[in-house]
């Protein structure tokens, strides 16, 4: 598409805070290991804002809106994202943009990575690209934003100025980010304080609140001087700070009467104002015999000073260490009994969280007694083969897939015509495949030629009504499995029977005489997947190259009730359509060219839920039904 006008050099102005009492679009972002703020999707941001309206100091479980983010929790008090399975914590922030900007319109700019999938730009860059695109600049130089890339809108490509490597880029429409009205906070950190009510006692909330306690402990230890030399009070007097609430609704440090010492620490927590408070808290190992006694690294008159630079070093290497004396007094009654003491057998805390919590609490001078972390119960007790029974209502106990288990469709033109109808009056919109206007010829003109389909023809998909160039739909079909099905690139509606690229293997399923946690009234359906290593074919990322198959056979579990059997029937259907697994890069190990799950979650932990892949989980069956439906395997496919 020809774009008149001159190119654009981006000024170094960044994104500032907006004026007060105006409508603004909210984008939540997290800080990656390269120091770049990466935006959450619009759907996740809407979810965070909804939680924020109910409890500005609460916690957000991201897996409730995006299954791929199930290990992550955001603590709105400390403004950190916590990963449950590894204990990794990252800062998050709440940013604001104009309603007319890219996030306000639901516009997403993405570049094609080495795996052939699409990665969104940082939001600041996305806004800049969209501004240049709307002004019809033919190119955009990102050098002043810290990237040696040149964006060419005519070829929809990104060129590295140093290596001259080109990558494709695209512009697509998605859900618009949330819009807020009224006063915009000046700080992206939330003020801390007490909250009313008791937290939920479920496993998820215990985990969240334990994380918050650990986070508060380390933040407090960095912002106050322990046993400060300048205090005129007793050596055990602490310079107190207003602290955020933690587990069980109590505070880490109970404020008492202020000391008359002049060396107070005036801390502004989360951008708010805070008075200097003194806390009487001598720590005694006699009252906590299981507390580890840390040797004194350096001592002077029995007390030690901690130098604070005023910054949050939680995620930085070389975080300041605190040396503790061997004499400790009694912990004040406000100190919570965190569940890191209960790690034998059925403790509710994940091992990664327990280890991290222990380290942080030791640094803050809190009593910690860690025992051996519990191990997940992955498998049931040994079962005789005679005890394995067929699943009621399902024929057989095994499924196999061969190398070519696909239904090949007819030629691409016939498939596209089958699911579309021609449009005579073309609207003034973009084709989201080639990014050309629908009123103009397809961007694939001259690249792709098919008899009977002219580049200017536009079609509307039957179910969802989205419109594209017919030639673009043909190009998209040729780039997929060519299985006779189409999937709308905008709303993901599936036309026909979608199949995947799952390698050959076998699936077994049977009933075992044991119950899952939360389903004591019924037995258990066990599914066993087994896929051997092999050679990739033309439908895979690297044809002719070997692929690995780690962790097979994989055992998965469902309750043997009506809903569990319904899920099993759909999983069998998804297996037959080769949708359960695919070949790609493992999100756990980072290994490429290996067999990985294909966006249909399974429960692989039989008797516990320490990894997040076990029971009890009252929402799992509904969630997996939704994931199956997104793959075109819905309950309407089941025969009565």
């Amino acid at each position: 598409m020809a774009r008149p006008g001159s190119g654009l050099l981006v000024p170094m102005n960044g994104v500032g805070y907006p004026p007060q009492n105006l409508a603004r679009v909210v984008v939540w972002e997290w800080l990656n290991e390269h120091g770049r703020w990466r935006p959450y999707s619009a759907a996740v941001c809407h979810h965070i804002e909804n939680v924020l309206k109910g409890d500005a100091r609460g916690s957000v479980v991201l897996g409730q809106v995006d299954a791929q983010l199930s290990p992550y929790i955001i603590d709105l008090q400390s403004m950190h994202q916590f990963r449950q399975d590894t204990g990794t914590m990252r800062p998050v922030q709440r940013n604001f943009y104009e309603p007319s900007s890219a996030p306000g319109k639901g516009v997403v700019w993405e570049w094609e990575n080495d795996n052939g999938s699409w990665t969104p730009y940082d939001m600041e860059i996305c806004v800049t690209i969209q501004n240049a695109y709307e002004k019809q600049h033919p190119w955009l130089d990102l050098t002043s934003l810290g990237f040696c890339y040149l964006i060419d809108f005519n070829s929809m490509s990104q060129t590295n100025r140093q290596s001259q490597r080109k990558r494709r880029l695209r512009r697509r429409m998605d859900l618009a980010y949330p819009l807020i009205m009224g006063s915009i906070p000046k700080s992206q950190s939330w003020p801390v304080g007490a909250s009313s009510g008791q937290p939920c006692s479920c496993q998820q909330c215990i985990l969240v609140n334990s994380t918050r306690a650990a986070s508060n402990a380390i933040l407090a230890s960095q912002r106050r001087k322990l046993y400060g030399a300048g205090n005129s009070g007793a050596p055990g007097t602490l310079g107190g700070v207003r602290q955020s609430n933690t587990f069980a609704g109590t505070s880490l440090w109970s404020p008492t009467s202020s000391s008359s010492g002049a060396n107070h620490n005036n801390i502004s927590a989360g951008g708010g104002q805070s008075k200097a408070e003194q806390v009487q808290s001598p720590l005694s190992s006699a009252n906590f015999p299981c507390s580890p006694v840390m040797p004194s690294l350096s001592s002077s008159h029995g007390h030690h000073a901690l130098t604070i630079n005023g910054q949050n070093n939680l995620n930085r290497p070389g975080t300041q260490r605190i040396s503790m004396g061997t004499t400790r007094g009694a912990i004040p009654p406000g100190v919570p009994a965190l569940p890191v003491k209960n790690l034998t057998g059925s403790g509710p805390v994940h091992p990664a969280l327990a280890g991290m919590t222990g380290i942080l609490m030791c640094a803050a001078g809190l009593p910690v007694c860690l025992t051996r972390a519990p191990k997940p119960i992955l498998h049931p007790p040994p079962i005789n083969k005679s005890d394995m029974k067929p699943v009621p209502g399902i024929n057989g106990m095994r499924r196999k897939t061969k190398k070519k288990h696909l239904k090949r469709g007819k030629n691409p033109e016939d498939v596209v015509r089958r699911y579309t109808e021609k449009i005579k009056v073309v609207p003034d919109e973009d084709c989201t495949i080639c990014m050309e206007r629908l009123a103009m010829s397809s961007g694939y003109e001259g690249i792709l030629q098919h008899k009977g389909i002219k580049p200017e023809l536009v079609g509307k998909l039957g179910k969802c009504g989205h419109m594209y160039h017919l030639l673009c739909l043909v190009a998209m079909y040729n780039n997929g499995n060519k299985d006779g099905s189409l999937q709308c690139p905008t709303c993901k509606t599936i036309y026909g029977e979608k199949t995947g690229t799952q390698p050959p293997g076998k699936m077994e399923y049977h009933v075992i005489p044991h119950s899952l946690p939360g389903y004591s009234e019924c037995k258990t359906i066990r599914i066993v997947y087994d896929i051997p290593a092999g050679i990739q074919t033309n439908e895979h990322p690297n044809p002719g190259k070997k692929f690995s198959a780690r962790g097979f056979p994989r055992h998965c579990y469902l309750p043997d009730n009506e809903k569990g059997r319904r899920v099993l029937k759909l999983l069998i259907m998804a297996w037959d359509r080769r949708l359960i697994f695919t070949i790609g890069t493992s999100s756990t190990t980072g290994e490429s060219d290996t067999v990985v799950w294909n966006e249909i979650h399974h429960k692989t932990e039989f008797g516990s839920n320490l990894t997040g892949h076990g029971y009890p989980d009252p929402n799992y069956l509904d969630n997996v039904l939704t994931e199956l439906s997104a793959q075109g395997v819905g309950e309407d496919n089941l025969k009565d």
Side-chain angles (χ1 to χ4, degrees):
M1 179 169 61
R3 305 188 68 82
S6 60
L8 179 64
L9 290 168
V10 183
M12 291 285 289
N13 52 5
V15 179
Y17 285 103
Q20 305 294 308
N21 299 317
L22 292 177
R24 286 296 180 266
V25 173
V26 178
V27 178
W28 284 81
E29 301 168 317
W30 58 277
L31 188 67
N32 69 9
E33 61 273 18
H34 305 296
R36 300 291 305 178
W37 288 101
R38 301 291 296 143
Y40 292 101
S41 69
V44 171
C45 290
H46 277 279
H47 178 59
I48 298 174
E49 287 294 307
N50 288 335
V51 175
L52 182 64
K53 291 176 184 176
D55 184 5
R57 299 173 179 86
S59 300
V60 186
V61 181
L62 301 186
Q64 293 177 348
V65 68
D66 187 342
Q68 293 183 339
L69 300 180
S70 56
Y72 297 99
I73 294 171
I74 291 179
D75 179 22
L76 295 177
Q77 253 180 332
S78 65
M79 290 295 281
H80 276 81
Q81 169 192 280
F82 173 72
R83 178 162 179 161
Q84 302 175 60
D85 53 352
T86 64
T88 303
M89 299 181 73
R90 298 184 185 276
V92 299
Q93 70 175 9
R94 187 177 186 235
N95 223 335
F96 306 94
Y97 297 87
E98 295 282 348
S100 59
S101 63
K105 295 179 178 178
V107 176
V108 180
W109 285 88
E110 300 172 319
W111 54 274
E112 188 177 32
N113 58 35
D114 294 335
N115 296 327
S117 56
W118 295 90
T119 302
Y121 286 94
D122 297 350
M123 188 54 68
E124 183 180 355
I125 297 176
C126 179
V127 169
T128 303
I129 295 176
Q130 177 64 17
N131 288 340
Y133 178 84
E134 291 177 349
K135 294 177 181 178
Q136 296 192 339
H137 293 289
W139 54 268
L140 171 67
D141 191 348
L142 298 178
T143 303
S144 58
L145 289 179
F147 297 91
C148 56
Y149 296 113
L150 185 68
I151 303 296
D152 188 340
F153 292 111
N154 292 322
S155 61
M156 290 298 285
S157 64
Q158 165 192 285
T159 304
N160 188 313
R161 285 181 169 274
Q162 295 179 349
S163 65
Q164 296 302 310
R165 180 178 181 180
K166 281 191 175 183
R167 294 182 184 270
R168 292 194 301 165
L169 63 89
R170 71 176 183 181
R171 173 181 178 267
R172 66 175 180 86
M173 301 302 298
D174 200 348
L175 180 68
Y177 280 80
L179 186 70
I180 64 169
M181 300 289 293
S183 178
I184 305 297
K186 294 181 180 180
S187 173
Q188 291 170 302
S189 300
W190 293 103
V192 296
S195 62
S196 59
Q198 295 294 324
C200 175
S201 59
C202 70
Q203 185 183 47
Q204 184 75 70
C205 290
I206 289 176
L207 186 65
V208 171
N209 286 299
S210 301
T211 306
R212 181 178 299 163
S215 175
N216 285 338
I218 192 66
L219 289 174
S221 70
Q222 292 175 342
R223 290 174 181 165
R224 81 172 159 260
K225 294 181 179 180
L226 291 176
Y227 304 97
N231 286 348
S232 59
T237 303
L238 301 178
V241 184
R242 287 179 56 193
Q243 187 66 318
S244 56
N245 63 313
T246 59
F247 181 73
T250 60
S251 60
L252 282 174
W253 301 98
S254 298
T256 59
S257 59
S258 298
S259 172
S260 60
N263 188 19
H264 295 308
N265 289 328
N266 294 313
I267 305 293
S268 178
Q273 296 180 349
S274 175
K275 296 180 180 179
E277 299 172 351
Q278 298 297 322
V279 179
Q280 300 287 342
S281 181
L283 305 177
S284 171
S285 60
N287 292 330
F288 293 91
C290 52
S291 301
V293 179
M294 299 175 62
S296 176
L297 300 180
S298 62
S299 70
S300 174
H301 306 291
H303 57 269
H304 310 272
L306 172 66
T307 303
I308 301 297
N309 60 8
Q311 296 182 354
N312 178 5
N313 294 320
L314 184 61
N315 294 284
R316 299 178 185 173
T319 301
Q320 309 221 19
R321 299 181 180 179
I322 305 173
S323 56
M324 304 295 296
T326 56
T327 59
R328 301 167 183 247
I331 293 294
V335 175
L338 291 175
V340 292
K341 289 189 177 184
N342 306 316
L343 294 182
T344 55
S346 59
V349 180
H350 188 279
L353 172 61
M356 182 195 69
T357 305
I359 294 172
L360 299 184
M361 291 179 66
C362 283
L366 294 175
V368 177
C369 178
L370 293 178
T371 59
R372 181 175 297 176
K375 294 182 179 180
I377 304 173
L378 300 178
H379 304 290
I383 303 167
N384 295 326
K385 194 169 184 179
S386 59
D387 293 330
M388 302 177 191
K389 306 297 182 182
V391 181
I394 298 179
N395 297 326
M397 299 174 68
R398 177 179 297 185
R399 279 288 201 281
K400 285 187 178 181
T401 54
K402 298 180 180 179
K403 290 186 177 180
K404 294 298 178 182
H405 211 141
L406 285 175
K407 292 182 180 179
R408 292 297 178 184
K410 298 180 181 179
N411 62 64
E413 295 93 331
D414 291 340
V415 175
V416 169
R417 292 183 186 278
R418 185 185 309 157
Y419 302 119
T420 59
E421 56 184 58
K422 290 183 180 179
I423 297 297
K424 295 181 180 180
V425 180
V426 179
D428 186 22
E429 299 176 359
D430 283 347
C431 170
T432 56
I433 298 177
C434 70
M435 302 312 302
E436 299 287 353
R437 307 300 286 180
L438 288 173
M440 302 177 64
S441 296
S442 166
Y444 287 93
E445 181 182 14
I447 301 174
L448 192 65
Q449 293 182 352
H450 280 269
K451 296 179 180 179
I453 294 187
K454 298 180 180 179
E456 62 273 11
L457 290 180
V458 175
K460 181 174 71 173
L461 291 171
K463 295 179 183 178
C464 61
H466 289 112
M467 288 175 275
Y468 308 93
H469 294 114
L470 293 182
L471 192 61
C472 292
L473 290 174
V474 170
M476 183 184 72
Y477 178 82
N478 285 335
N479 197 41
N481 286 339
K482 304 176 186 176
D483 57 359
S485 72
L486 277 179
Q487 185 168 16
C488 175
T490 300
C491 66
K492 309 304 181 185
T493 299
I494 296 173
Y495 295 82
E497 184 177 296
K498 178 183 176 181
T499 59
T501 60
Q502 178 179 288
K506 64 180 180 180
M507 171 189 186
E508 297 180 354
Y509 37 89
H510 46 255
V511 176
I512 58 176
H514 297 285
S515 298
L516 293 166
Y519 294 95
S520 58
E521 73 285 354
C522 62
K523 297 179 181 179
T524 299
I525 299 171
R526 179 167 63 182
I527 306 170
V528 182
Y529 296 110
D530 197 3
I531 295 178
I535 305 295
Q536 299 181 55
T537 62
N538 291 332
E539 62 188 4
H540 296 134
N542 298 297
K545 187 177 180 181
K546 292 182 179 180
F547 68 86
S548 60
R550 311 292 185 193
F552 288 95
R554 299 187 184 182
H555 293 226
C556 310
Y557 304 95
L558 293 168
D560 183 26
N561 55 22
E562 182 182 353
K563 201 168 189 177
R565 294 169 198 154
R566 196 159 70 245
V567 170
L568 176 61
K569 290 179 181 179
L570 294 175
L571 288 175
I572 293 173
M573 191 178 299
W575 173 268
D576 290 340
R577 297 182 185 180
R578 305 173 69 211
L579 295 169
I580 301 291
F581 296 96
T582 188
I583 295 177
T585 301
S586 171
S587 59
T588 305
T589 65
E591 181 183 9
S592 58
D593 298 305
T594 190
V595 179
V596 296
W597 294 106
N598 188 32
E599 300 181 0
I600 300 175
H601 285 76
H602 286 63
K603 291 294 187 181
T604 56
E605 196 174 343
F606 173 78
S608 56
N609 195 18
L610 297 179
T611 64
H613 302 298
Y615 294 93
D617 186 347
N619 299 320
Y620 169 67
L621 296 179
D622 290 327
N623 291 341
V624 75
L625 286 173
T626 301
E627 292 173 347
L628 285 161
S629 180
Q631 297 286 347
V633 185
E635 295 188 71
D636 53 345
N637 298 124
L638 295 177
K639 297 180 181 179
D640 296 332

